[in-house]
Amino acid sequence: MLDGRWTTRTLDIHQILARNREEKQEMANGSPAEPGRPALGILTKTLVRSPVIKSIIPARVRHRSRNDVVFVYDDAIVIKEILGGERIEHDPFSPISLADVIEKKDFDSPLQAVRILGLPREPKVPRFPGKDWSKHSDADRSQSSIETKPNLLHENEVPPQILVLTLVSRNLLFLFAYHDVHEQVHFLSNTFPLPAQAAESEELGVHLAVDPKWIRQEVQRPHGLDTKSFMPIHEEKHTKVDGSILKMEFLHPSKGDEHYVILLLIISKGDSTLLVRFEWDCRGGLSGVERKPSQVLPKSKQLPNLLIPLIYRTSFAVVSGEQVTIYEGILTGIAQAQDCQLELHEQREVPRNSDRPLTWTHWARPMRPTKRLERGIDNIYLCREDGVVCYIDVREDSRPMISSSHSAGILKANLSNAFATLDLGRESNDVVIAASETGDGGLWYLRPREPIVHVGTIRNWTPFRDITIAPFKTSTSRVAESDKQIRQKAKRPFACSGRGPRHGAITEVRMGTEAVKLGPTIELSELANNGILDLWALPYRTNIGIYLMLVRPTDTELILIRSAVDQDRQAASEAKELSLNEDTIAAGSTAEGFIVEDPSAASGVEELSHNERTIAAGSTAEGFIVQVTPSSINAISQKHGILPLAWHPEGASISVASLLTIPNRTTVLLIVLCRHHDYYLHHGHFGSQGGHIIFEALGEQVRLPSEASSLALHWFENCIIAFVGTVAATLQIYTARAGLSLNPYFEYRFGDPSSICDSLAILTTEIQTVACDEVEIGQLVLCGLRNGTVKTLWLNSGQDSHNTRLFSKENEETKSPGSKDSSLGEGIHFLGRSTGSSDGAWSKVFGGCPLSPCETLTFGGTSVKVMADTTRTSRAFVMCQQTLYTVEYLGGASPTNPASVNKLWVTDPNLQAFQQGPATSIAQASSNIPHGCSKFAAGSLFYLSGSSLVVADISSFPRPEMVPRRLPLNGTPTTVLYSEHLDKLIVMYTTEVHQRGKRLRKGMAVQRTAPQPAIALVELDAEPVRLDLDGQDGPNILDSSCVLPGEKFLGLVEWLPTVGERQHYMLVVHTATGQAGSQATISRLLFFSLINDAGSATLKIDMEHKAEICAVAPYGRSSLVYGCGNDILLRFLDVESKKFRHPMKLTLRSPAVHISVKGLDIHVSTESHGHHILSVVEDKLVARWADRVSRPSAYHLVLPEQSLVLATDLDCRIAGLWQPPQPHLDRTAPLIFEAFLPRSITRLCRIQTQKDRLLLTQPEPQTTYSTSPINAKIGNGIVARAERYLSKENLLATCEDGTIYQLSLLDQASWRLLAYIQNMAMREPRICPYPHPRVGEQDLEPSMARKRDMHIDGDILTRLLERGGRRLLEEMLDEGASGRMLLDEMLVEDLPEDRWHRFLALTKEVFSGEGAVSPNSDMRVPNGELAESVLGWLRLLLMPAI
């Protein structure tokens, strides 16, 4: 009965069975639904992937001509192409860069081992000018010819090398990449299931070995990329090994025995380490595998670090400690050993007290000419964990076989397994690449008997130990009040990262687009005294410099910027030093910097106007430089013999101008002439005639209805389109075919009188969907408005694109030809041309309506400047209120596919704490500039801040990436918090101090060091920020006398106790000291007060305990609660007497690891027994309720608005625990949801609500899809009232390996809809190509029976948006499974109409409510529009919070 009337409803069998399961689960738990208990789900999304690289593998997995390197992460792989490194005359160290090609992160399982299968690596022949190729072998010349062949794979061809991976999900994966006909890169893979795990200790897949002499068979890739036929495995055999496998490698067979296979294992069994080998003839298959007798390694060689197969006579090397042992003759019985001591004279940069032998972590074999290998010479690089690299030379005919071993240098990085050599075709210098687990990695040139040269950096911000949130500061009074409110709600995360004096830092977590400085900052000083309004970057004739036009209010200054290195490379080569040493910087940057010159002496430059403000400038296809001023058009040629142009309009002045170069045609200039308060459009093109530059008019001048504020030209469908923004808040469109006059065609009204278009940018989007093998191309018009917003308009074409329907005449105000309308309402208006005019073809091209509004982006309260990116056609720069952004459309534009808006961050490879200043003006070098030098490339950005000019290279990565800003410390940070009282960061870290005297280690004197805790106060935006002030005299505010010998600082909190009306400020530190000869611990609580809020801290109170203090938190006005052993103590401080009263005490079953206070509740996460809530009752500390699960807690966060506690543990779980108003009889907390993640979360913090984020993105409110009520609610309602359907909370969750997750809470209706989509996606191979572990555990219909199913994986939903979006969702809904599916042990139908009906019902649940249709009303909405509308809502849910 509904509203007093009986009604009939259609019920879905899937929904009925799901609800039955939920009711059964509640009855089994004995906890039926109670009033007030929330039904919430949790949405997780990987915001920042861990930067820890497990291994680095050089491989040609796309094509034999592509020099790639594969970065292997914990659950992803990235292919990068090696660029640069070619030897240039007089430049021994040419820059090296790694360009992102493609990444794969859809394994849904951690990676265990990765190897290369295929042809062995061959040396790349250097291509030096004047090289005598006759000295190289035929094989080398053949390899060189590879570089001239096409870079695309043949349709039925596989690359020379294939990646082989093992997954934790017990799958063996074969993988390579290829280019399609559109030059898009894709992966092709196939899986082979590994045997099921027979025992708990069995870890199949941890070790992986590939025979180096594997004979590659031609595996043909059939048409259509049928992965089922791509399987190199023809036979398998399982063999159990008694013991634990430490190392596993195939040995190189002897000459003539290429078909003989030797597999060598190093096994640990009991107290012994064994050499175990298997041998067989591969021509007879695996049935001939035979295990040979084992050989026991001596005690000194047990548990070796490395096993290295040598290239001849089945020899191999074992590395342990400071010794390398070569084994020979293993096929004849007992292998003969030859020991060689590694002669390493360099010591570690930071000595340590431990006597544990340093570990050799990895090895690499550099590329050598084939003839050298044939002579029996093998060269190996060894890397040690402290950064030492050793080079050994092994010769087959030498005794001992290691003819020499020496140190190749210290890389000043803590090295791991990620170590390799790169082949750049250089005969003299090797290039190594290495990554670190606790700091930055990099690329280095290794030269014989010369210092190493650092030429690149691989970022790493791990480990993350702590994180805090600080607010943005509005330092300028010019910021609008609305923007101040947005900035106050935005947050800045700062985290403790790195380890040691070189890598320890406080890292500001920033997401966006990176622009890397190419050199030092250029100070313009006097040139910027009167203020610079605009910049124009123009090419210099020799391509080693840039003309930069500085536009001031009354004049123009022209300067020439050149690289100091490129100006005189010959002189630098004679000096033989380019200021590059082991401490130099990333690729492409040198210490010399730039040279700024006055180009007045250059030919033709003096013909440009310097006494007027420049309106526009640019270069033409012929190489002319064009300048437009209010009184003239000037053009010069950088070639001798061509006279300049100075064109002056008669009786008029120029107000606006725009330049367009049409490929393979000409350059067109469009200007607006002002004559007697009337405005006219005039356009023409440039050419040369009789040795003169000419400007020839095209057609007649066209009168404008009002003053123009901006111009833009676009070449589209073989026609010129002119976009004219006017002060009447309109956008006029004029069209012209080649050589004809401009004809008024169209008018778009922005509606608001303040919406005057001050700048325009035209973008082109291109995307190939996975769901549909086609490329979609679209044109976008970005309008920078005077009211601080950017309006995006879609330029429709005659093609059938899903975006053309965004415009509906029913929803826009149109104007018939010849009619008059003085209204200012927003809409589209046709100008005075009939469909039968000469422009009638345009109605066909545009489909009648050329512009469709998409969305409005808010950036502030002042005028916005937009500028198209010359290097990426789908991206534009946006500058508003001295802040620079990038706006990119990756897959077309619509209200359901919003722009990717990212802040642009300028970074300095030489100064990690660099903070860019407010943007005054920007310019970008033309994309036509060739790559001819180390400084200026196509698309270099010129960023002006006041009088400081920065030249930067912009990242081409299409999506937001991590751009960390590091404040270096002279130690290892452990705790960071933001103090509102001080408006600073308080950092606790551990540094190392040198002790008096030295000790001997193996006969060598070693300096003693000891850890020293310290506390520093950090200004967030001070310039410059530098905390490591010359060694150990850093910013420590503590007196060393306060610290006991061997004492460690464990934690730090602020405390503001109040006595009467006086508030005191104190820092509370808890410490631990281990007693000598005993495992007992002495802990102290230290109370410090700050003098003048900076400078130094004074110890006020010292409290000692005999159990370790694990966590501390303030309580009330002047109380403190802390965990001491298993006890929780609550104490009240008498500040006047500096004494605490007798504590309240409660003993728990395990120590506390985290304590927080909300109101009068004390929340405690324990080491082994989950979460507890305590409170004070009658002066006693009592437990109110506890977690039902004994979990090893890591951290918690209290959300009082939802009466919820998020608890994380070391088992990689997130639990949502509900705090009921009244405790249950069993005093346990009901579990609302539970999520299992790949890694454990160690910190949680609140960052921003999605409602606040929508202030920065306001989709177009005028756009709807139809008049259907539900569709208008989803489409238009998502615009006006989107916050109603979005998460009320956004949280950041950090892991120690540097991973950052974004968490959002979902209501029940939202969870059901997303779970339904997710369950379909996990069964879709295009989204989850490998078996997902959760597919077999849950049905298609969402069910709340299991709390772990309340978790929505945002990464899977992100793939749905990226790999097809609407089309892919429609196909999943249309296809169904296989007609029937098993649900609760019942066979039920799973038909497409059932899926669509259920999808529609779940959508109604989400968007029902105030202002929407009733859940029972009929919704006649086209399926495609419904799917795209839901995806638009999903995109907003997945927006990054930072």
Side-chain angles (χ1 to χ4, degrees):
M1 179 176 291
L2 180 65
D3 297 333
R5 302 178 62 182
W6 294 102
T7 60
T8 301
R9 296 184 181 180
T10 302
L11 298 180
D12 187 3
I13 184 62
H14 300 267
Q15 187 177 4
I16 296 174
L17 294 175
R19 290 181 177 176
N20 288 341
R21 290 197 303 272
E22 295 172 6
E23 294 175 358
K24 292 178 183 179
Q25 185 67 27
E26 289 178 352
M27 294 179 62
N29 294 338
S31 57
E34 56 187 290
R37 180 174 179 174
L40 298 175
I42 185 170
L43 170 67
T44 66
K45 176 190 175 182
T46 304
L47 201 59
V48 177
R49 184 184 60 216
S50 171
V52 177
I53 301 174
K54 297 177 61 176
S55 61
I56 298 176
I57 304 175
R60 298 179 184 265
V61 292
R62 285 187 296 160
H63 191 267
R64 55 182 177 174
S65 67
R66 299 298 180 96
N67 196 9
D68 293 336
V69 59
V70 181
F71 284 11
V72 181
Y73 296 87
D74 182 64
D75 52 5
I77 63 171
V78 177
I79 297 179
K80 296 177 180 284
E81 185 173 9
I82 306 170
L83 302 178
E86 297 290 349
R87 182 173 177 180
I88 303 174
E89 190 176 4
H90 309 304
D91 186 2
F93 309 112
S94 55
I96 303 173
S97 61
L98 300 177
D100 290 319
V101 176
I102 188 174
E103 66 176 349
K104 187 174 180 64
K105 51 185 179 181
D106 57 0
F107 297 104
D108 293 321
S109 173
L111 306 181
Q112 286 185 309
V114 182
R115 287 295 183 97
I116 288 295
L117 180 68
L119 295 177
R121 294 171 61 196
E122 297 181 3
K124 176 182 175 182
V125 175
R127 295 175 293 176
F128 300 155
K131 188 69 177 179
D132 185 4
W133 293 96
S134 61
K135 298 181 180 179
H136 294 273
S137 64
D138 293 338
D140 292 337
R141 288 193 293 271
S142 175
Q143 179 68 16
S144 176
S145 65
I146 288 175
E147 306 299 331
T148 62
K149 295 183 179 181
N151 292 333
L152 294 177
L153 282 176
H154 189 270
E155 188 173 7
N156 295 322
E157 182 185 5
V158 294
Q161 294 175 326
I162 300 172
L163 287 173
V164 186
L165 308 90
T166 56
L167 309 180
V168 173
S169 58
R170 307 188 71 80
N171 284 306
L172 186 67
L173 181 65
F174 299 93
L175 181 71
F176 68 88
Y178 69 96
H179 291 257
D180 62 12
V181 294
H182 304 292
E183 277 288 345
Q184 300 289 327
V185 184
H186 305 277
F187 278 110
L188 181 62
S189 65
N190 206 349
T191 57
F192 183 81
L194 296 175
Q197 184 171 331
E200 196 69 29
S201 60
E202 185 178 306
E203 298 181 359
L204 191 63
V206 174
H207 299 280
L208 181 64
V210 175
D211 186 4
K213 292 295 184 181
W214 180 68
I215 301 177
R216 174 173 169 270
Q217 300 182 2
E218 293 297 329
V219 182
Q220 296 299 315
R221 177 160 53 90
H223 182 73
L225 306 181
D226 183 8
T227 59
K228 295 182 179 179
S229 302
F230 174 65
M231 177 53 66
I233 293 181
H234 300 285
E235 188 179 3
E236 62 177 316
K237 180 181 178 66
H238 308 289
T239 302
K240 289 190 176 181
V241 177
D242 186 14
S244 299
I245 300 177
L246 303 178
K247 306 290 178 183
M248 181 172 67
E249 293 285 354
F250 282 95
L251 301 183
H252 290 260
S254 302
K255 293 182 180 180
D257 293 333
E258 285 77 11
H259 294 283
Y260 200 66
V261 182
I262 308 103
L263 177 63
L264 179 66
L265 286 75
I266 299 181
I267 296 176
S268 175
K269 182 179 179 181
D271 296 334
S272 302
T273 302
L274 309 176
L275 293 177
V276 178
R277 75 181 191 276
F278 295 86
E279 302 177 6
W280 70 96
D281 192 325
C282 65
R283 292 171 295 185
L286 297 179
S287 59
V289 175
E290 181 181 358
R291 175 172 178 169
K292 298 299 182 178
S294 304
Q295 178 178 342
V296 180
L297 290 179
K299 292 290 185 181
S300 60
K301 300 179 179 62
Q302 288 189 354
L303 305 178
N305 300 147
L306 300 174
L307 170 62
I308 306 173
L310 302 180
I311 62 174
Y312 47 81
R313 293 196 311 183
T314 64
S315 302
F316 60 93
V318 174
V319 182
S320 55
E322 297 181 0
Q323 190 178 70
V324 177
T325 303
I326 304 293
Y327 286 89
E328 285 187 294
I330 193 172
L331 298 183
T332 60
I334 302 299
Q336 304 299 317
Q338 299 180 26
D339 295 335
C340 177
Q341 202 72 18
L342 295 177
E343 298 180 2
L344 302 176
H345 302 291
E346 290 87 351
Q347 298 300 313
R348 301 182 74 246
E349 181 185 1
V350 180
R352 56 176 188 167
N353 293 324
S354 174
D355 290 325
R356 177 185 64 84
L358 292 168
T359 301
W360 295 95
T361 58
H362 205 60
W363 64 276
R365 178 176 284 117
M367 288 289 99
R368 294 292 184 261
T370 305
K371 290 184 177 180
R372 181 179 176 89
L373 301 177
E374 292 175 351
R375 293 199 300 266
I377 302 175
D378 198 0
N379 300 130
I380 303 293
Y381 280 108
L382 306 177
C383 70
R384 205 167 64 183
E385 60 178 323
D386 60 344
V388 172
V389 176
C390 179
Y391 181 80
I392 61 176
D393 186 84
V394 184
R395 298 178 182 266
E396 181 181 10
D397 55 357
S398 174
R399 289 299 180 271
M401 297 180 64
I402 298 181
S403 61
S404 65
S405 65
H406 60 272
S407 173
I410 302 178
L411 302 186
K412 294 185 179 180
N414 298 322
L415 301 184
S416 62
N417 292 335
F419 178 82
T421 60
L422 304 181
D423 179 23
L424 301 178
R426 304 180 68 98
E427 293 183 334
S428 58
N429 303 327
D430 289 325
V431 179
V432 299
I433 180 172
S436 173
E437 293 182 351
T438 59
D440 291 342
L443 295 91
W444 292 267
Y445 277 114
L446 301 186
R447 304 175 294 172
R449 296 170 296 279
E450 296 288 343
I452 63 175
V453 178
H454 181 212
V455 291
T457 299
I458 300 175
R459 272 200 199 112
N460 187 1
W461 49 84
T462 59
F464 268 2
R465 293 183 179 85
D466 197 11
I467 190 169
T468 189
I469 302 298
F472 272 100
K473 292 184 179 181
T474 54
S475 58
T476 174
S477 59
R478 298 175 58 185
V479 177
E481 188 64 30
S482 59
D483 190 53
K484 288 183 180 180
Q485 296 176 1
I486 297 175
R487 288 172 176 266
Q488 288 172 359
K489 294 178 180 179
K491 304 297 181 182
R492 301 172 64 184
F494 289 86
C496 297
S497 66
R499 181 181 296 138
R502 174 169 287 270
H503 301 292
I506 298 298
T507 297
E508 181 179 2
V509 179
R510 306 185 303 187
M511 297 289 293
T513 304
E514 183 178 14
V516 182
K517 287 181 63 179
L518 295 178
T521 302
I522 302 173
E523 290 296 335
L524 300 179
S525 59
E526 296 181 357
L527 297 177
N529 284 345
N530 296 328
I532 296 178
L533 301 179
D534 209 347
L535 294 178
W536 297 94
L538 307 170
Y540 184 56
R541 62 176 181 269
T542 57
N543 296 323
I544 62 170
I546 289 289
Y547 282 125
L548 194 64
M549 197 170 283
L550 312 177
V551 182
R552 294 185 289 229
T554 58
D555 61 352
T556 299
E557 185 75 29
L558 188 67
I559 61 175
L560 174 61
I561 304 177
R562 291 194 290 181
S563 167
V565 174
D566 295 321
Q567 184 195 20
D568 198 356
R569 191 183 295 270
Q570 179 66 33
S573 65
E574 292 176 357
K576 201 179 179 179
E577 286 295 336
L578 296 177
S579 297
L580 290 171
N581 50 53
E582 58 183 357
D583 289 324
T584 54
I585 46 219
S589 185
T590 65
E592 284 84 353
F594 298 103
I595 295 177
V596 180
E597 301 177 357
D598 181 2
S600 58
S603 175
V605 173
E606 66 278 0
E607 302 297 333
L608 297 176
S609 176
H610 298 270
N611 298 322
E612 289 185 283
R613 177 177 57 90
T614 298
I615 297 174
S619 59
T620 69
E622 298 84 357
F624 305 153
I625 291 180
V626 178
Q627 179 199 27
V628 181
T629 69
S631 64
S632 64
I633 298 175
N634 306 295
I636 64 171
S637 174
Q638 299 191 66
K639 298 180 180 179
H640 295 286
I642 301 180
L643 299 179
L645 165 73
W647 184 88
H648 299 273
E650 297 182 3
S653 62
I654 304 174
S655 60
V656 194
S658 179
L659 201 67
L660 171 68
T661 297
I662 303 175
N664 302 321
R665 291 176 181 258
T666 185
T667 298
V668 178
L669 175 65
L670 176 66
I671 60 176
V672 174
L673 297 176
C674 177
R675 185 182 296 114
H676 305 298
H677 304 288
D678 292 329
Y679 297 90
Y680 300 87
L681 279 180
H682 180 70
H683 75 300
H685 71 100
F686 292 93
S688 59
Q689 182 177 357
H692 291 76
I693 301 176
I694 62 172
F695 176 65
E696 183 178 0
L698 298 174
E700 300 177 354
Q701 297 180 4
V702 180
R703 182 176 179 179
L704 293 174
S706 59
E707 180 183 353
S709 57
S710 58
L711 287 180
L713 287 172
H714 185 51
W715 179 253
F716 185 69
E717 300 287 345
N718 293 321
C719 293
I720 295 176
I721 310 176
F723 297 91
V724 184
T726 70
V727 295
T730 63
L731 180 66
Q732 309 280 336
I733 297 181
Y734 295 79
T735 63
R737 296 193 179 274
L740 300 179
S741 300
L742 291 170
N743 293 311
Y745 174 70
F746 204 74
E747 179 184 87
Y748 181 88
R749 296 185 177 180
F750 294 107
D752 185 3
S754 64
S755 301
I756 299 174
C757 183
D758 284 335
S759 58
L760 290 161
I762 314 298
L763 305 184
T764 301
T765 65
E766 179 178 328
I767 184 173
Q768 180 183 16
T769 63
V770 178
C772 186
D773 189 15
E774 62 182 22
V775 174
E776 298 176 355
I777 299 177
Q779 312 289 327
L780 292 160
V781 182
L782 267 63
C783 307
L785 305 184
R786 196 168 294 180
N787 60 5
T789 63
V790 172
K791 178 85 69 175
T792 302
L793 305 173
W794 179 268
L795 185 62
N796 294 327
S797 66
Q799 301 173 351
D800 183 17
S801 173
H802 71 279
N803 292 289
T804 58
R805 61 172 180 75
L806 292 178
F807 174 75
S808 174
K809 291 185 179 180
E810 299 176 3
N811 302 312
E812 297 288 352
E813 182 183 356
T814 59
K815 182 177 179 181
S816 61
S819 64
K820 297 182 179 180
D821 193 340
S822 60
S823 66
L824 205 57
E826 181 167 359
I828 296 175
H829 305 257
F830 290 92
L831 300 180
R833 290 287 178 180
S834 64
T835 56
S837 67
S838 60
D839 276 340
W842 282 96
S843 297
K844 298 180 181 179
V845 172
F846 287 125
C849 300
L851 290 180
S852 300
C854 296
E855 64 177 332
T856 301
L857 306 173
T858 302
F859 291 92
T862 60
S863 181
V864 178
K865 177 181 178 180
V866 295
M867 184 179 73
D869 188 350
T870 61
T871 60
R872 290 185 62 84
T873 59
S874 61
R875 185 168 67 184
F877 301 104
V878 175
M879 189 173 69
C880 181
Q881 295 177 169
Q882 301 183 335
T883 305
L884 193 58
Y885 305 86
T886 60
V887 174
E888 184 161 12
Y889 288 92
L890 299 175
S894 70
T896 57
N897 185 26
S900 175
V901 181
N902 302 304
K903 192 170 183 179
L904 190 139
W905 301 103
V906 180
T907 61
D908 189 340
N910 299 326
L911 182 60
Q912 297 177 337
F914 176 77
Q915 180 79 353
Q916 67 201 60
T920 305
S921 184
I922 59 171
Q924 191 179 22
S926 170
S927 59
N928 298 323
I929 298 177
H931 293 266
C933 66
S934 62
K935 287 294 178 185
F936 299 110
S940 294
L941 181 70
F942 294 83
Y943 181 99
L944 181 65
S945 177
S947 62
S948 301
L949 180 67
V950 170
V951 184
D953 183 26
I954 311 167
S955 170
S956 60
F957 197 70
R959 293 179 176 84
E961 57 183 337
M962 174 78 162
V963 188
R965 172 176 171 247
R966 300 181 61 181
L967 313 180
L969 286 165
N970 188 29
T972 302
T974 55
T975 303
V976 60
L977 59 91
Y978 170 72
S979 171
E980 293 184 3
H981 180 78
L982 304 177
D983 193 22
K984 297 177 182 178
L985 293 179
I986 304 177
V987 182
M988 186 175 71
Y989 64 102
T990 302
T991 186
E992 292 188 357
V993 296
H994 297 284
Q995 295 181 335
R996 294 182 178 180
K998 296 183 178 180
R999 62 190 178 95
L1000 296 179
R1001 180 191 297 168
K1002 296 186 178 181
M1004 300 185 66
V1006 179
Q1007 178 73 50
R1008 288 180 177 270
T1009 61
Q1012 177 73 41
I1015 297 177
L1017 302 181
V1018 181
E1019 294 279 356
L1020 298 182
D1021 298 308
E1023 288 291 347
V1025 177
R1026 187 169 180 82
L1027 301 182
D1028 50 342
L1029 304 177
D1030 299 328
Q1032 53 184 310
D1033 296 329
N1036 187 10
I1037 63 174
L1038 297 182
D1039 188 347
S1040 59
S1041 62
C1042 301
V1043 183
L1044 300 178
E1047 188 172 29
K1048 297 180 181 179
F1049 282 15
L1050 303 180
L1052 168 72
V1053 295
E1054 282 186 300
W1055 191 32
L1056 284 80
T1058 303
V1059 179
E1061 296 182 356
R1062 183 181 178 186
Q1063 188 179 61
H1064 302 264
Y1065 180 82
M1066 307 191 79
L1067 295 178
V1068 181
V1069 178
H1070 59 280
T1071 73
T1073 306
Q1075 293 182 343
S1078 172
Q1079 296 183 351
T1081 300
I1082 295 178
S1083 291
R1084 295 197 299 164
L1085 275 179
L1086 305 179
F1087 296 79
F1088 295 94
S1089 66
L1090 296 183
I1091 300 176
N1092 297 327
D1093 295 339
S1096 62
T1098 303
L1099 179 62
K1100 294 295 185 181
I1101 304 176
D1102 180 355
M1103 295 177 55
E1104 185 175 304
H1105 293 267
K1106 292 187 178 180
E1108 182 176 345
I1109 299 176
C1110 305
V1112 182
Y1115 181 84
R1117 288 167 55 89
S1118 55
S1119 300
L1120 202 66
V1121 59
Y1122 57 95
C1124 185
N1126 288 5
D1127 297 332
I1128 303 297
L1129 302 177
L1130 177 60
R1131 288 193 164 185
F1132 175 79
L1133 173 67
D1134 186 347
V1135 179
E1136 300 298 332
S1137 62
K1138 299 181 181 179
K1139 293 182 180 180
F1140 281 95
R1141 297 178 184 177
H1142 188 72
M1144 302 179 191
K1145 178 179 176 182
L1146 179 67
T1147 302
L1148 303 178
R1149 290 185 291 174
S1150 59
V1153 296
H1154 180 219
I1155 298 176
S1156 67
V1157 176
K1158 284 295 180 181
L1160 299 178
D1161 292 333
I1162 301 173
H1163 294 261
V1164 182
S1165 292
T1166 61
E1167 190 177 79
S1168 306
H1169 296 87
H1171 190 78
H1172 300 260
I1173 286 190
L1174 315 179
S1175 61
V1176 178
V1177 179
E1178 297 179 353
D1179 294 333
K1180 292 183 180 180
L1181 200 58
V1182 298
R1184 290 188 56 194
W1185 55 263
D1187 196 347
R1188 291 178 178 176
V1189 179
S1190 295
R1191 64 181 81 244
S1193 300
Y1195 201 76
H1196 70 259
L1197 181 66
V1198 182
L1199 304 176
E1201 296 84 355
Q1202 291 83 19
S1203 299
L1204 202 66
V1205 177
L1206 291 183
T1208 70
D1209 58 37
L1210 300 181
D1211 293 333
C1212 308
R1213 292 179 295 183
I1214 309 175
L1217 306 176
W1218 181 48
Q1219 182 180 351
Q1222 298 296 329
H1224 295 165
L1225 294 178
D1226 58 358
R1227 295 186 178 275
T1228 58
L1231 181 65
I1232 303 301
F1233 56 77
E1234 191 172 34
F1236 287 78
L1237 297 177
R1239 48 191 60 83
S1240 178
I1241 290 176
T1242 56
R1243 290 294 184 271
L1244 289 167
C1245 59
R1246 303 174 75 167
I1247 183 70
Q1248 197 178 26
T1249 65
Q1250 289 189 321
K1251 181 178 179 180
D1252 295 334
R1253 288 189 295 155
L1254 285 181
L1255 293 174
L1256 292 176
T1257 304
Q1258 300 175 0
E1260 179 57 53
Q1262 297 294 328
T1263 303
T1264 55
Y1265 300 113
S1266 68
T1267 57
S1268 168
I1270 183 63
N1271 199 44
K1273 178 63 184 177
I1274 299 174
N1276 191 24
I1278 206 173
V1279 173
R1281 296 177 293 276
E1283 67 272 13
R1284 174 182 169 80
Y1285 312 108
L1286 299 182
S1287 171
K1288 302 300 187 295
E1289 289 287 350
N1290 265 321
L1291 312 172
L1292 285 187
T1294 62
C1295 308
E1296 192 167 354
D1297 68 350
T1299 302
I1300 302 178
Y1301 292 103
Q1302 179 175 314
L1303 312 181
S1304 302
L1305 298 184
L1306 304 171
D1307 59 26
Q1308 183 177 356
S1310 300
W1311 168 80
R1312 285 190 181 276
L1313 177 57
L1314 294 180
Y1316 190 74
I1317 298 174
Q1318 175 183 258
N1319 294 344
M1320 290 189 295
M1322 288 191 297
R1323 293 166 169 81
E1324 172 55 55
R1326 287 167 291 186
I1327 299 176
C1328 297
Y1330 314 108
H1332 197 282
R1334 294 175 60 183
V1335 169
E1337 299 180 358
Q1338 59 192 98
D1339 303 313
L1340 195 62
E1341 175 65 30
S1343 172
M1344 300 174 63
R1346 295 190 311 171
K1347 299 307 178 184
R1348 64 179 301 177
D1349 292 339
M1350 302 299 292
H1351 171 216
I1352 302 298
D1353 190 344
D1355 295 337
I1356 294 178
L1357 300 180
T1358 301
R1359 292 180 219 158
L1360 168 64
L1361 298 174
E1362 295 176 350
R1363 300 184 181 185
R1366 167 190 166 187
R1367 287 193 179 96
L1368 191 51
L1369 178 58
E1370 290 175 354
E1371 289 183 13
M1372 292 191 301
L1373 290 167
D1374 287 335
E1375 291 175 358
S1378 56
R1380 290 177 177 270
M1381 64 181 297
L1382 187 64
L1383 185 62
D1384 269 359
E1385 301 180 354
M1386 297 175 55
L1387 279 177
V1388 297
E1389 297 293 332
D1390 182 32
L1391 301 177
E1393 54 268 25
D1394 296 331
R1395 287 194 176 189
W1396 273 108
H1397 178 79
R1398 185 63 181 137
F1399 179 71
L1400 183 62
L1402 292 173
T1403 304
K1404 288 172 59 179
E1405 292 181 12
V1406 174
F1407 297 101
S1408 63
E1410 181 182 354
V1413 297
S1414 122
N1416 296 316
S1417 63
D1418 186 19
M1419 300 193 311
R1420 302 182 182 278
V1421 183
N1423 289 344
E1425 295 182 1
L1426 179 66
E1428 187 165 358
S1429 299
V1430 172
L1431 292 180
W1433 165 68
L1434 178 58
R1435 290 181 189 275
L1436 294 177
L1437 276 176
L1438 298 175
M1439 283 174 57
I1442 55 175

